[in-house]
Amino acid sequence: MVTLKQLAEQLNVSVSTVSKALNNSEEISKDTIERVKELAKHLNYQPNKMALSLKSNKTKTLGVIIPNILNHFFAKALYAIEMEASKQGYNIITCVSNEMLSKEENSLQLLSNGSVDGFIMSIAEETQVKNKTDHIAVILNQGIPMVLFDRVVDLDCDKVIIDDFGASYEATKHLLSEGRKHIVLISEIEELSVGKLRTNGYLKALEEDTTSQQEPIVIHVGKDDDLEETIDNLFISNSKVDGILSIDNTSGVVALHKALRRGYKVPENLSIIGFSDDNVLAYTDPKLSTISQHTFDIGKSSVKLMIDRLQKKSTTTHVTKTIKTNLILRGTTK
Amino acid sequence: MVTLKQLAEQLNVSVSTVSKALNNSEEISKDTIERVKELAKHLNYQPNKMALSLKSNKTKTLGVIIPNILNHFFAKALYAIEMEASKQGYNIITCVSNEMLSKEENSLQLLSNGSVDGFIMSIAEETQVKNKTDHIAVILNQGIPMVLFDRVVDLDCDKVIIDDFGASYEATKHLLSEGRKHIVLISEIEELSVGKLRTNGYLKALEEDTTSQQEPIVIHVGKDDDLEETIDNLFISNSKVDGILSIDNTSGVVALHKALRRGYKVPENLSIIGFSDDNVLAYTDPKLSTISQHTFDIGKSSVKLMIDRLQKKSTTTHVTKTIKTNLILRGTTK
DNA sequence: CTGAAAGCGCTAACAG
DNA sequence: CTGTTAGCGCTTTCAG
């Protein structure tokens, strides 16, 4: 890398003159500015990032910590974050916690050494199950800003979430409006706060439904359970099921396949609604109806919140932004 | 952040003593080392990353540039890269080129200011179509190491690839061994070097097959084409098709759905082989047979190659590592 | 055993 | 208008 010093030597001026010239300082003569810039361009000079960061105490870099990059939701959120950050002149350092508290703690710890200006994070399942927040509080106490998205924690910081309760409440209402009498909820994420909220939305909708008077049926698929087997068992033990609300990313697809294989007519005799953004799930036939989370907006908003915070545009009080969801009716609902 | 200076002041010793103590220098007395370390731990001292980088001219950070993070292959590769890098004490800065040359140039340019020690990259489609390599050559000329994976370019640097030709050659051979007489190749990636190689493997296998004497049928799905429509048309215009080799990530799934919908018996009357790692495609029924790329190994090897290079373990000559592929027969082949 | 000083590349008072 | 100096946080000679 070519440095200011090298430019200065070649031009027979001082380093500070070169620096000022490149920054269009009023103090420097037009002529000198010209000469300096020309040589800088010619030698492809670029200010050393580390030196700038050390001096300014700003890295223009955000730390992003996500639980699982193979989950399409997080991949898309990461995509949105990268896009918006780069648009605003920020880089992102990505860490994957793999749903583990220890990795999350570690990443936070390692990046809080001046590597990043702030964190954008969605917390690991283990963290949520154990309800540990100390490692996050430590960061906050150091004055490093943090935006939590999707899976949040009860701490005072900026957050971006969706209305999980409302989303599945509405979806369940829709199934009820189709006249479904045996609506089952399938969840692989009952351990997560978002999972509980979504389940509650379903329960509430059924509870409020005075006409069908159906009992809620919640199928909770644990880490060690086989998803396909569990769903098969559902159809066996509960053949009258005529509505399925899947509140995670993937179980809706599996339920659809299993139902079709068992001869259910979808959506004539059975409606299925999945939860997630669309892409991956677009490859079913018929196309899965879903609750869209607008993942792209979630990521984008997280970055905006962070950068506002960094630029002190927003003042002291922390914000929780709720992104609207959408019930998208495609082929698996009437 | 707490600094060496602060520790030094509190302990009434010099900054250099503190620095040496923390680095277990022989020069410092056991006693002092003890005291220093204790306070350091107590105040949660962490060496400032930027200062270290500036001093050492090493960032312990890798720049990763991928074309599209929503493509499962790249998501998984990124996952593997992050995992291996973090294991080796490196962070990664991720940039998404979105298949655009300009974004790729930009990311390379921006990160080559001392932000990263090296690049791991898979080149954008546009870059490959236009066959532009100048921006990459510039980086290489600056002495910044680069590992290209999957989609590579004809430049002298380390590379990690798979045997694309061989993989689809073998897959086609398998279809032939099943006695398939009308094997079609579907490709969404004919613009890419890997796509061409895979197509050639298919062509070669058919050419060598003296018994069935079939004409190759290559369905090239372009950016503006509708995948589902194209596949539907295939079945209409070519109802005798009894074997499909999909050489991209997704078209195999769509082909399977469309075929089932049209009443083909899979795999009795029609075999389908997809290309990619498994995860996403596991959610079909029957399960799609695929050529597994061992994406995880690709990512991991890329990082290893990079770090070897950075640590000068490997000497001057550049390496091309080829990761083995695997034909995984599941439900869509006999 | 400890400290002073220099320097990584840069910016910004302050002097001239 | 240009240069000198100091300092961001750290490591590393070199003196003491």
Side-chain angles (χ1 to χ4, degrees), chain B residues 13-14 16-17 20 27-29 32 55:
Chain B
V13 293
S14 74
S16 57
T17 302
K20 287 170 187 163
E27 298 178 11
I28 307 293
S29 71
T32 311
K55 191 96 194 52

Side-chain angles (χ1 to χ4, degrees), chain A residues 137-155:
Chain A
V138 166
I139 299 295
L140 259 19
N141 286 336
Q142 291 177 48
I144 304 177
M146 165 127 55
V147 174
L148 257 25
F149 74 93
D150 191 57
R151 303 187 194 164
V152 300
V153 113
D154 190 21
L155 283 176

Side-chain angles (χ1 to χ4, degrees), chain A residues 22 27 79 109 144 159 165 168 180 213 229 235 239 253 288-289 326 328:
Chain A
L22 290 174
E27 297 179 10
Y79 173 56
Q109 165 80 224
I144 304 177
K159 294 166 193 170
F165 178 92
S168 60
R180 301 306 180 183
Q213 299 259 12
E229 198 183 307
F235 286 121
S239 62
V253 181
L288 192 68
S289 297
N326 252 81
I328 302 185

